[in-house]
């Protein structure tokens, strides 16, 4: 390894010290405050992982690149600076690409760095080891893609990748580094001078004063106003101003899934328990960092009081977003406020003082009435103790544990496991809930859990459907290897959605949605030295979770749920294109 010391010293006494591509890359990342790499070693980046560790970086090595990629993406969301994933060429790169595309879709800043094979051979398609034109493949799936061919350009390459990932609407960036680059050496002083410490990587974008005027005029005219907070609002870290805006205006608000906890879900202005009432009834809706995509029924249809899915309910929208082209993407936006959320909310607040008139009592009372009724109904359901457990009785335990540990990070995926957790488990602090996001993608679980633990040092609770867990389950070894305080709870109902489907052909194979009955997932954690718990009652689940959070030991609780519990696709059954829609 002596040839790769930093900077590379020349045997000749008079020759100037040199530095190689490996170290230029490591130094460029460190210079920009990137101290952790999520990845998986192999040609041509194995030495890079070793050297990064030797140079004091944290290198978290995974069992599959998709999970490393998901870890990097959510580290980006948690920190507001790009998370880095490092993979080998072609297949490793492709394994990381799903996470990069998902990061872009969710507006998480991430950089996927992949080693690649010899350009001369790849471009002539002469069949190199792991040959692929990775840059071309990555381009349509990310926000920006760059390739660095010369060691003196590594500094610029990293600077461009960082800026592209975090400025404007955040997203995923691909950086292609051909194997030959790493061993290139240049003069160490010139190398150091070539690195760039990015100044102000995500510049503020101040909204136009007339946009603020327009928005406030519309908001003041509202009889039944509503605020909708999305994960962009959580990402923006304008927590205090957003809370002040909500409280000073007195407007009821809804949090999208990953915005839960931006204000505590128990806040009296939270209208989450009256969601299906407030969406169609509101007359003016202020969207902050939330897109009117499928998760909000595109701003129209029955959800919003429209006659059918094409019909708009008549609401007027104010939309605060950094992306100007988001405006009017689904329905008319009457008052676009384009800028970064911090600047936009503070500009709005500057004009909202103690004299702002609260919404009409009639509206607030109607919302409160619906909310109280639904909260009481939910309390009744949660108090039940069916045997076997169902989603609600299991999640009642999780709800208590999260309440007692509001700093814990919550990771969540599945269908019913996702929907029930989102509605039952209250969040108390911003950026604590990490989930399947805009795509509803399965497989984020263990990657997110690893990064949540590594980046925050807080206990992590991962609530997983049994199918969802399977997409990244092998990373329990990673969790044990780094001894991370992760408690995985599998809500196990023996299949995708549930475990009761029958083979319609009558053959010996089980139905496509059905898994092995009574699978002992907890033994997977035990196999690597962690704690496994088999829980058939809420009391066993509670004991297991309390002990996991207390001990901070890697724990997997296999919580056995009634296999008939749940519905097909959870709450989005209606999206199944089928003659066979189930309830
Ligand atoms: P959700 O799924 O929670 O509804 P989305 O991912 O659909 O949220 O929307 C997030 C929005 O937030 C995106 O349109 C994105 O452009 C925007 N956004 C992200 N960060 C910022 C920021 N700092 N300032 C303004 N808008 C932002
Ligand atoms: C990458 C389709 C959505 S939800 C789900 C699948 C396979 C699993 C549901 O079962 P689970 O949860 O996890 O046991 P529960 O509580 O309902 O029993 N592939 C990808 N993403 C998605 N979304 C799917 C498939 C899907």
């Amino acid at each position: 390894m002596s040839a790769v010391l930093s900077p590379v010293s020349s045997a000749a006494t008079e020759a100037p010290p040199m530095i190689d591509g490996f170290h230029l890359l490591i130094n460029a990342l460190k210079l920009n405050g990137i101290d952790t790499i999520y990845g998986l070693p192999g040609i041509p980046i194995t030495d890079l992982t070793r050297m990064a560790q030797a140079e004091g970086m944290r290198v978290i090595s995974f069992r599959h690149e998709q999970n490393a990629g998901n870890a990097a993406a959510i580290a980006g969301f948690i920190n507001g600076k790009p998370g880095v994933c490092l993979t080998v060429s072609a297949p490793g790169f492709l394994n990381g690409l799903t996470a990069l595309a998902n990061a872009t879709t969710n507006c998480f800043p991430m950089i996927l760095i992949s080693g690649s094979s010899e350009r001369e051979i790849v471009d002539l398609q002469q069949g190199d080891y792991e040959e692929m034109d990775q840059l071309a493949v990555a381009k349509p799936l990310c926000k920006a893609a760059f390739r660095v061919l010369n060691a003196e350009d590594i500094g610029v390459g990293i600077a461009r990748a960082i800026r592209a990932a975090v400025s404007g609407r955040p997203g995923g960036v691909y950086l292609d580094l051909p194997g030959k680059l790493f061993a290139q050496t240049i003069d160490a002083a010139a190398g150091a001078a070539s690195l760039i410490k990015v100044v102000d990587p995500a510049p503020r974008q101040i909204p136009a004063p007339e946009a603020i005027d327009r928005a406030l005029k519309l908001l003041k005219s509202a009889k039944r106003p509503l605020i909708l907070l999305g994960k962009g609002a959580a990402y923006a870290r304008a927590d205090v101003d957003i809370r002040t805006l909500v409280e000073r205006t007195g407007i009821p608000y809804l949090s999208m899934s990953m915005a839960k906890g931006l204000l505590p879900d128990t806040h009296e202005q939270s209208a989450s328990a009256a969601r299906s009432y407030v969406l169609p009834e509101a007359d003016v809706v202020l969207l902050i960092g939330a897109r009117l995509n499928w998760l909000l029924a595109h701003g129209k249809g029955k959800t919003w009081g429209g006659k059918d899915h094409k019909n708009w309910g008549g609401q007027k929208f104010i939309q605060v977003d950094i992306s100007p082209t988001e405006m009017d993407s689904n329905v008319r936006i009457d008052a676009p406020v384009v800028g970064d959320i911090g600047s936009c909310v503070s500009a709005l607040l500057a004009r909202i003082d103690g004299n702002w008139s609260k919404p009409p009592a009639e509206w607030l009372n109607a919302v409160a009435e619906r909310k109280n009724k639904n909260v009481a109904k939910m309390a009744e359901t949660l108090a039940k103790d069916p045997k076997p457990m169902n989603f609600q009785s299991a999640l009642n335990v999780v709800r208590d544990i999260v309440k007692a540990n509001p700093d814990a990070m919550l990771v969540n995926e599945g269908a019913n496991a996702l929907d029930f957790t989102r509605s039952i488990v209250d969040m108390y602090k911003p950026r604590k809930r990490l989930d399947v996001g805009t795509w509803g993608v399965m497989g984020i679980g263990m990657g997110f859990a690893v990064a949540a633990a590594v980046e925050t040092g807080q206990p992590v609770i991962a609530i997983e459907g049994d199918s969802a867990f399977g997409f990244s389950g092998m990373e329990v070894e990673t969790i044990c290897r780094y001894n991370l305080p992760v408690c995985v709870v599998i809500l196990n109902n023996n299949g995708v959605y549930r475990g009761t489907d029958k083979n319609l052909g009558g053959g010996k194979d089980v139905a496509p949605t059905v898994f092995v009955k009574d699978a002992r997932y907890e033994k997977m954690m035990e196999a690597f030295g962690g704690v496994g718990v088999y829980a058939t009652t809420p009391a066993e689940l509670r004991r297991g979770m309390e002990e996991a959070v207390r001990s901070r030991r890697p724990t997997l609780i296999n919580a056995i749920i009634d296999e008939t519990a749940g519905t097909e696709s959870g709450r989005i059954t209606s999206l199944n294109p089928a003659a066979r829609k189930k309830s």
Side-chain angles (χ1 to χ4, degrees), residues 107 169 230-232 235 256 289-291 293 321-322 339-341 438:
C107 318
R169 173 182 276 176
K231 60 171 134 32
Y235 177 80
M256 299 300 286
R291 286 171 284 190
N293 57 16
D321 204 290
I322 203 154
D340 72 277
I341 287 169
T438 304

Side-chain angles (χ1 to χ4, degrees), residues 1 26 110 181 213 226 439:
M1 293 283 290
I26 293 164
M110 165 187 177
L181 177 76
D213 287 345
L226 176 68
W439 267 348

Side-chain angles (χ1 to χ4, degrees), residues 428-475:
Y428 299 88
K429 296 197 175 181
R431 294 171 294 282
K432 295 290 180 188
R433 189 186 149 86
L434 313 172
D435 69 28
V436 300
T438 304
W439 267 348
V441 67
M442 295 300 109
I444 50 88
M446 297 305 103
F448 277 18
V450 168
V454 167
E455 300 293 339
T456 71
Q458 297 292 341
V460 178
I461 296 167
I463 306 299
E464 301 274 313
D466 50 328
S467 164
F469 172 74
F471 287 73
S472 65
M474 190 63 207
E475 304 297 345

Side-chain angles (χ1 to χ4, degrees), residues 391 413-417 440-442 465-468 471 493 495-498:
F391 286 100
E413 62 176 335
N416 297 281
V441 67
M442 295 300 109
D466 50 328
S467 164
F471 287 73
N493 60 356
V496 178
Y497 312 131
R498 24 182 197 203

Side-chain angles (χ1 to χ4, degrees), residues 316-399:
K316 292 199 183 289
F317 288 100
I318 304 164
Q319 185 162 27
V320 177
D321 204 290
I322 203 154
S323 168
T325 53
E326 188 54 41
M327 309 299 154
D328 305 325
S329 55
N330 284 275
V331 294
R332 179 170 59 239
I333 301 300
D334 298 275
V337 181
V338 175
D340 72 277
I341 287 169
S343 301
C344 295
V345 172
S346 91
L348 289 168
L349 261 187
R351 304 265 305 276
I352 298 175
D353 56 19
N355 297 325
W356 180 274
S357 341
K358 299 270 146 106
E362 204 184 320
W363 172 235
L364 297 183
N365 292 341
V367 176
E369 193 188 313
R370 287 332 184 273
K371 178 175 156 176
N372 294 340
K373 208 163 81 195
N374 290 340
V375 167
K377 215 157 70 190
M378 171 75 90
E380 237 174 70
T381 310
L382 293 180
K384 289 186 184 147
D385 185 16
K387 297 189 180 53
M389 281 191 283
N390 61 10
F391 286 100
Q392 292 92 332
S393 64
L395 287 166
N396 186 38
V397 173
V398 178
R399 174 185 163 99

